[in-house]
Amino acid sequence: NNNTGEKFVEALKKQGINPMKASYLTENMREVPGLPNSRELIRWAFSAKPNSISGVMELGDRFVVARLAQVREKGLPEPDQVKDQIAIIIRRDKKAQQIMQRLQEEMNATPNLPLIAQKESAKIDTVYDLTFASYALPSAGFEPAVIAAASVCPVQKLAGPVKGNNGVFVLQVFADGNQEVSKDITFSRLENNYLNRANYEPVNVLKKLANIKDLRSKFY
C-alpha cells in the first residue's frame, strides 16, 4: 500500500515508527552502519531514484523496507544538504564565545586555575612532555590550537581561554624544558617525514591524474 515516498513517510507517522536513518553512504561500503549484512541495501540505494521504496529485503535476521530520501551528486553539496551540519558548527561557535567571555571575566577577577575550575565544575588535567610537534592531548583528543597556545605560554601564568575542537581551555604551564634540539635530530625528523610522504603522495597524484573510476560496487 505504501509504495511511494510520501505514503511511506505518512504510514510511519501514523504507526509511530521512527525510521533508522543512514547518511553519507558511499557506493563501495560493505554495509549500512548499524545494519549487518546490508550490502544488498547499499547496491539498491545507488541504483534507485530519489524518494523510491525498496522491496522487502531479508538482511540477516531482519526484514527491511527502505526509502531513498536524498541523493548527493558529486562536487559541492547544495546548501539544503549541509544546513544541519552548518547549524551545529554555528551553535558550537556561539556557545564557545559565551564560555570564553565568562572565563575571561573569571580569569581577570581570580587568576587562579583551581578556583576557576571549581566555579566551572570542571576538572584540571596535567599533561607531561608536551612539545610543539604534539597534535593531541591524552584526555581531550586532537587539539592543535591548545598545544600551540601552550608552547608560547609564560611559565606559571594563566593563558587562554582557547577554543579547541572539543571544548574551551584555560592553560597554565608549570615548567618549561627549554631544551634545544640538535640540528641532526631536526634533520632526521624532517628526512623521515619526507621519506614517508614520498612513498604515498606520488601514487595519489597519479590516481588523480588518471581519473580512476572505482566500479567494484557493480560486481561485489
Side-chain angles (χ1 to χ4, degrees), residues 147-159:
I147 293 169
S151 69
V152 295
C153 178
V155 178
Q156 299 299 336
K157 295 284 184 70
L158 288 186

Side-chain angles (χ1 to χ4, degrees), residues 24-44 46 59 214-220:
Y24 300 104
L25 298 180
T26 58
E27 199 167 2
N28 289 317
M29 290 176 70
R30 300 303 305 164
E31 61 185 27
V32 174
L35 190 60
N37 306 311
S38 53
R39 175 63 189 158
E40 178 188 354
L41 178 55
I42 292 174
R43 293 189 68 177
W44 169 82
F46 279 86
L59 307 177
D214 191 344
L215 302 178
R216 287 176 296 175
S217 62
K218 296 184 181 298
F219 305 97
Y220 304 102

Side-chain angles (χ1 to χ4, degrees), residues 2 7 12 21 37 40 44 46 51 56 60 62 95 111 114 127 137 139 169 176-179 184 188-189 206:
N2 304 306
K7 292 180 181 179
L12 291 175
K21 295 183 180 180
N37 306 311
E40 178 188 354
W44 169 82
F46 279 86
N51 215 26
V56 179
R62 302 184 185 187
K95 183 177 180 180
V127 179
L137 300 175
S139 59
F169 298 81
D176 182 1
N178 197 25
Q179 298 174 348
D184 290 339
S188 178
R189 288 176 179 172
L206 289 174

Side-chain angles (χ1 to χ4, degrees), residues 169-186:
F169 298 81
V170 174
L171 315 172
Q172 184 173 5
V173 175
F174 292 100
D176 182 1
N178 197 25
Q179 298 174 348
E180 291 189 6
V181 180
S182 70
K183 292 182 179 179
D184 290 339
I185 294 176
T186 302

Side-chain angles (χ1 to χ4, degrees), residues 63-81:
F63 292 100
V64 175
V65 178
R67 167 180 173 252
L68 183 60
Q70 190 179 70
V71 174
R72 292 179 172 87
E73 300 294 341
K74 185 177 181 180
L76 291 175
E78 295 295 327
D80 285 345
Q81 295 178 338

